[in-house]
Amino acid sequence: MKRLSIVLMALALLLPAQAQTRAPRRAAQRPAAQAGQPAPASTAGQSLPIRRVILYSNGVAFFERRGMVRGDAEVDLPFKQSQVDDVLKSMVVLDLGRGRIGAVSYNSSAPPSSRLADIPFSIGAASSTETSGGLAGGLAAVLGQLQGARVVVTTATRAATGAILTVEARRAQVDANKPPLITHSLVIAAENGEIASFDLAEVRSVRLLDEGARHDVNEFADASASTRRRDAKTIIVTSRGEGQREMAVSYTVAAPIWKTTYRVVLDPVGKPFFQGWAIVDNIGEEDWTGVALSLVSGTPISFIQPIQQPLYRHRPVIPIPQDLNLNPQVYEPGVGTGAGVGSGSGANETVEVTAGAQLVESTQSQLSKNLPLNGRAMDGADMSLAHPPAPRNMSEAITSGESGVETAASGAEVGDLFEYRIEQPVTVRRDRSALIPILQAQMEGERVSVYNESVRADRPMSGLRLKNTSPLTLEGGSLTVLDGDAYAGEALMERLKPGEDRFISFALDLGTLVTARPKGDRERVHMIRIINGVFQAYYYQTERKTYTITNQTEKPRVVFVEHPVRNRWDLSSDTAKPYETTARSYRFRVELGPRESKEVPVVERRELVDNYALSSLSPRDVQVFISRNYVDDATRAAFEKILEIKGRIASAEARMGELDREAKEISADQDRLRENIKALGQTGEARQLIARYIAKAGEQETRLEQISAERKAAEAERGRLQSELEASIRALENLNRKL
């Protein structure tokens, strides 16, 4: 009983105070009534159901909520904390009944710990010891922290109004074998001056009279609730109006990308029957019940910006100026950036589309044909007459139109995007996924094999050439191929626009063998040019690859050979024209009969050039040019003249070298004579030897003068010949001859 009375007192303390505090806050958010007019009726806490969902292939979703509201309405929109940034930057709010949209508010983004720290009291959990003896961690602790607050205390026998003085704890030893019993008494100063004490076990309620105390308790309750659900966020949209009217709210949030998967059934000649499905995931907190669903193919730009967090700009603390002669200060603006990555995953159980495209359209189809639904005949119709013969296998069921699967989407271009609009409302429960048919049509195509040496050197891949003859853009996805009534393989398909065709390979072709033999060569020079004193000889380097394709079966084959496109390499004129050319490959179409083999030669060539500087031309180079018929007689004569001038220049340079060596030897000999003269004394023999040295030095000086003159003449001759050589080379400029 004591514990029950304590719980009742706690509820009496918190719940009425919280209700009284929240009512004024919500009323303050609504516009005041005009003077002289009665305030319209208010409707709080209304919700708007999800009516429209658009999923994008870049990982975002557009939601539209619509519903009816009445009077001054408050619409509560629950979101996850991680979704609020997207909602705040994309939300659109409309009142479609002449109402006026008011404030759009949301609870504080400050951490709950900081909000609790601002409240002047706290409530901790009671320990086991305290619980056995009282409520030191509960009501007693709360009242002890509200010292001085005016309250109304009510017991079973009396009531008193006054200010809280203290909460007194008393220990009573009832049993020596048990811990002492702790009781608490509330002591108040009554309005009549009396000091009154109340045993908390007998108190039925304590009502707070001070607005500040009620506000603190209410704020503590809100902050504690935020602590329990840290990921919860409620956005409140207010609208002022009269009567019943429609409101609409739209926004974008991060969502799992929608995916596509396809089924292809091949007939005996390879004509593909195409069936496409879209996979959507609902990982939100609400069911999608009867929503209008669209799937958009494209990649619009989307990002996350942290705008829900309060931001503060730094403000410098400026001291009070000591005088008025201060220079103005200029500060650079602060820069703030926001970036984030959103991701989602939906690990879901069973596919479910309730009241949606598949169920509704299938039902309507059965009704329109007067066929049995859920295994029961309708209107007493004869089953044998109402239903055509059953298909013999699954492939026939899919292609005959009797599969029970009808496409649920229509497509349209939306700017640079493509939208699949699901024609019937769709229901997807929370934390579940749905598989929705979006395409079912006969396509154009043929059964082919595709050989690419970089994929496999000996065998091509078995596949088909598919052309999108539907008006829909097919989003990329996995593709399962059924050949007849058997599984044939799987493939991945990239996005396919209407009218485009694409190769799709799903298995290894074990009935076709391919070998590739390469061979390289160099062709003869086909053109010569002389530009800027450089003789250029142009020729082609060729590479030949011969593909030998063998059909090892009794059925005809169509094989496409993919040969890589290489930079600066071109197909030669003797190579068959490719069936088509892509950015990376030439494709050659080869048709093979039963057991037939064919060769596909692919010859590529690129132009190269050998450069010879005419100033460095050698007799051997000229002989090569003549032997290979690069030059005609006039050009050969010009080359021979260049060689003759180069020979005379070489002779002049050789003569200059000889003179330089002789002058160097004479200079060295004169140095030796000077050293000998310094070493001789003043004897008669020495004087005779010195005279001899001096005579020889005189002869050497005469020879040095002659050498200097001869060298100047040789240098002048070399300069003249160099000018003559440059003129001869210029005379051959811009020579262009095809061979």
Side-chain angles (χ1 to χ4, degrees):
M1 287 299 295
K2 286 187 177 181
R3 184 168 297 177
L4 177 60
S5 63
I6 291 170
V7 173
L8 292 175
M9 285 188 292
L11 291 176
L13 171 68
L14 295 178
L15 296 182
Q18 183 173 358
Q20 294 174 10
T21 305
R22 290 198 175 197
R25 177 177 64 86
R26 292 207 169 188
Q29 290 179 348
R30 304 190 196 102
Q34 297 181 3
Q37 296 182 0
S42 173
T43 309
Q46 300 184 65
S47 62
L48 299 179
I50 298 174
R51 294 304 185 198
R52 185 183 178 202
V53 178
I54 303 177
L55 300 178
Y56 290 81
S57 56
N58 69 333
V60 298
F62 173 87
F63 288 86
E64 181 179 319
R65 295 174 177 267
R66 284 177 178 261
M68 304 303 294
V69 298
R70 181 183 298 275
D72 288 353
E74 287 186 357
V75 177
D76 294 344
L77 303 177
F79 295 101
K80 294 181 180 179
Q81 180 74 32
S82 58
Q83 296 176 326
V84 176
D85 286 323
D86 282 330
V87 173
L88 293 180
K89 69 181 176 64
S90 63
M91 176 179 282
V92 176
V93 182
L94 300 175
D95 190 316
L96 305 178
R98 295 186 179 181
R100 288 185 296 174
I101 299 298
V104 178
S105 60
Y106 55 95
N107 47 311
S108 172
S109 298
S113 58
S114 64
R115 295 180 59 191
L116 290 172
D118 294 335
I119 300 173
F121 70 94
S122 62
I123 301 176
S127 65
S128 59
T129 303
E130 293 168 338
T131 304
S132 64
L135 267 180
L139 183 59
V142 173
L143 296 177
Q145 295 177 77
L146 294 176
Q147 194 172 26
R150 296 179 66 253
V151 295
V152 177
V153 183
T154 303
T155 67
T157 58
R158 58 173 176 157
T161 301
I164 297 176
L165 294 180
T166 186
V167 176
E168 181 183 5
R170 297 176 182 175
R171 294 174 180 267
Q173 191 69 43
V174 179
D175 189 344
N177 297 324
K178 295 182 180 180
L181 181 65
I182 302 176
T183 61
H184 296 85
S185 298
L186 173 63
V187 181
I188 68 171
E191 291 181 343
N192 58 4
E194 179 184 359
I195 303 297
S197 177
F198 298 85
D199 190 342
L200 285 183
E202 299 177 354
V203 173
R204 290 186 174 181
S205 68
V206 178
R207 182 160 57 92
L208 300 177
L209 300 179
D210 292 348
E211 180 67 27
R214 290 202 303 265
H215 178 269
D216 290 342
V217 173
N218 184 58
E219 287 298 316
F220 182 85
D222 286 345
S224 299
S226 299
T227 304
R228 282 189 294 104
R229 290 201 61 190
R230 295 182 180 180
D231 195 38
K233 193 73 120 178
T234 300
I235 295 180
I236 301 174
V237 180
T238 62
S239 176
R240 183 187 178 194
E242 297 180 358
Q244 189 173 5
R245 62 196 185 278
E246 185 178 17
M247 278 189 66
V249 177
S250 66
Y251 51 87
T252 60
V253 294
I257 61 173
W258 64 278
K259 302 167 285 291
T260 51
T261 179
Y262 303 97
R263 323 287 185 261
V264 175
V265 178
L266 300 179
D267 63 11
V269 296
K271 295 294 183 182
F273 186 85
F274 216 73
Q275 190 179 83
W277 297 75
I279 300 174
V280 299
D281 307 295
N282 178 12
I283 64 168
E285 300 294 328
E286 299 179 61
D287 295 340
W288 298 349
T289 304
V291 301
L293 180 63
S294 295
L295 311 174
V296 175
S297 171
T299 311
I301 295 176
S302 181
F303 56 88
I304 297 175
Q305 190 175 40
I307 57 179
Q308 63 172 307
Q309 296 293 341
L311 301 177
Y312 298 92
R313 187 180 295 276
H314 170 71
R315 296 190 301 158
V317 178
I318 306 298
I320 297 176
Q322 300 299 320
D323 56 62
L324 299 179
N325 296 323
L326 297 178
N327 294 325
Q329 300 295 308
V330 178
Y331 298 92
E332 294 183 357
V335 178
T337 60
V341 177
S343 63
S345 63
N348 305 303
E349 309 165 3
T350 310
V351 170
E352 177 179 352
V353 185
T354 306
Q358 183 176 355
L359 178 61
V360 173
E361 290 201 359
S362 297
T363 304
Q364 290 177 346
S365 175
Q366 297 284 3
L367 290 174
S368 64
K369 297 176 182 178
N370 197 26
L371 298 183
L373 184 63
N374 296 330
R376 293 178 295 175
M378 293 180 290
D379 299 332
D382 188 353
M383 290 289 294
S384 61
L385 299 178
H387 205 289
R392 289 175 295 179
N393 53 47
M394 290 190 64
S395 296
E396 289 187 6
I398 294 175
T399 57
S400 65
E402 299 298 329
S403 63
V405 177
E406 298 188 14
T407 57
S410 60
E413 298 285 345
V414 183
D416 293 333
L417 310 177
F418 189 87
E419 178 184 16
Y420 297 85
R421 185 177 296 110
I422 309 304
E423 296 177 348
Q424 297 294 334
V426 173
T427 293
V428 184
R429 303 301 179 191
R430 61 189 295 262
D431 291 329
R432 297 178 76 86
S433 298
L435 191 65
I436 302 173
I438 59 175
L439 172 66
Q440 187 164 259
Q442 187 80 41
M443 298 285 191
E444 292 183 10
E446 64 174 336
R447 195 188 302 265
V448 298
S449 297
V450 182
Y451 175 79
N452 191 309
E453 188 178 11
S454 63
V455 176
R456 189 179 174 103
D458 59 341
R459 299 279 183 184
M461 300 298 294
S462 180
L464 63 106
R465 185 182 181 91
L466 174 69
K467 183 175 182 179
N468 182 9
T469 55
S470 74
L472 302 180
T473 295
L474 304 183
E475 187 71 9
S478 62
L479 185 147
T480 300
V481 181
L482 300 176
D483 193 352
D485 197 33
Y487 169 81
E490 297 175 354
L492 287 176
M493 185 182 71
E494 296 181 347
R495 182 178 299 170
L496 194 62
K497 293 282 189 180
E500 283 187 330
D501 54 20
R502 192 75 48 82
F503 283 110
I504 296 174
S505 59
F506 49 83
L508 184 65
D509 184 358
L510 298 178
T512 306
L513 181 66
V514 183
T515 60
R517 301 188 308 274
K519 180 182 179 181
D521 196 5
R522 168 176 170 155
E523 296 183 1
R524 60 186 297 275
V525 173
H526 63 90
M527 183 178 66
I528 62 169
R529 300 176 66 184
I530 297 178
I531 298 177
N532 297 327
V534 178
F535 181 85
Q536 299 177 334
Y538 292 84
Y539 64 94
Y540 286 108
Q541 178 186 3
T542 61
E543 288 191 5
R544 181 187 185 92
K545 182 167 285 189
T546 302
Y547 298 94
T548 302
I549 309 168
T550 303
N551 181 5
Q552 300 174 316
T553 69
E554 299 296 335
K555 297 181 180 180
R557 282 279 200 275
V558 175
V559 180
F560 281 87
V561 177
E562 289 191 334
H563 185 83
V565 173
R566 296 186 293 172
N567 187 30
R568 297 179 57 196
W569 288 84
D570 300 314
L571 294 179
S572 65
S573 58
D574 55 347
T575 299
K577 184 179 180 181
Y579 182 83
E580 64 183 4
T581 302
T582 69
R584 293 177 291 183
S585 301
Y586 302 107
R587 285 182 179 151
F588 300 90
R589 180 185 174 98
V590 183
E591 298 183 3
L592 298 172
R595 303 290 178 180
E596 184 180 7
S597 294
K598 286 186 179 181
E599 288 189 350
V600 179
V602 180
V603 182
E604 295 177 284
R605 65 180 186 175
R606 63 173 177 175
E607 191 175 46
L608 299 177
V609 58
D610 290 338
N611 296 313
Y612 304 86
L614 294 181
S615 59
S616 303
L617 199 65
S618 67
R620 182 178 178 280
D621 294 335
V622 175
Q623 289 300 321
V624 171
F625 297 162
I626 295 173
S627 64
R628 295 180 179 177
N629 197 27
Y630 289 175
V631 296
D632 54 13
D633 293 340
T635 306
R636 182 180 65 179
F639 283 173
E640 290 175 348
K641 181 180 179 181
I642 290 174
L643 291 177
E644 186 267 333
I645 295 173
K646 285 173 58 66
R648 292 163 61 188
I649 291 175
S651 298
E653 290 176 344
R655 177 58 181 164
M656 291 170 60
E658 293 175 359
L659 294 173
D660 289 340
R661 285 192 297 273
E662 185 179 358
K664 186 176 181 181
E665 291 174 357
I666 292 174
S667 297
D669 190 51
Q670 286 183 341
D671 291 340
R672 181 180 60 81
L673 293 176
R674 292 188 187 94
E675 293 295 329
N676 291 339
I677 291 173
K678 290 180 181 180
L680 294 175
Q682 297 298 324
T683 63
E685 294 179 359
R687 286 194 294 273
Q688 291 178 359
L689 190 56
I690 290 173
R692 181 181 174 184
Y693 287 165
I694 292 174
K696 186 176 181 180
E699 294 174 359
Q700 289 177 338
E701 286 296 327
T702 302
R703 179 56 186 159
L704 286 176
E705 292 176 358
Q706 293 174 353
I707 290 174
S708 178
E710 292 177 9
R711 193 184 188 289
K712 288 181 180 180
E715 189 173 0
E717 178 67 11
R718 186 189 65 175
R720 185 185 66 80
L721 292 174
Q722 188 69 39
S723 299
E724 186 177 352
L725 176 63
E726 293 174 357
S728 298
I729 293 175
R730 285 196 301 271
L732 293 173
E733 192 72 19
N734 298 325
L735 175 67
N736 193 332
R737 182 188 179 201
K738 293 185 178 180
L739 304 180

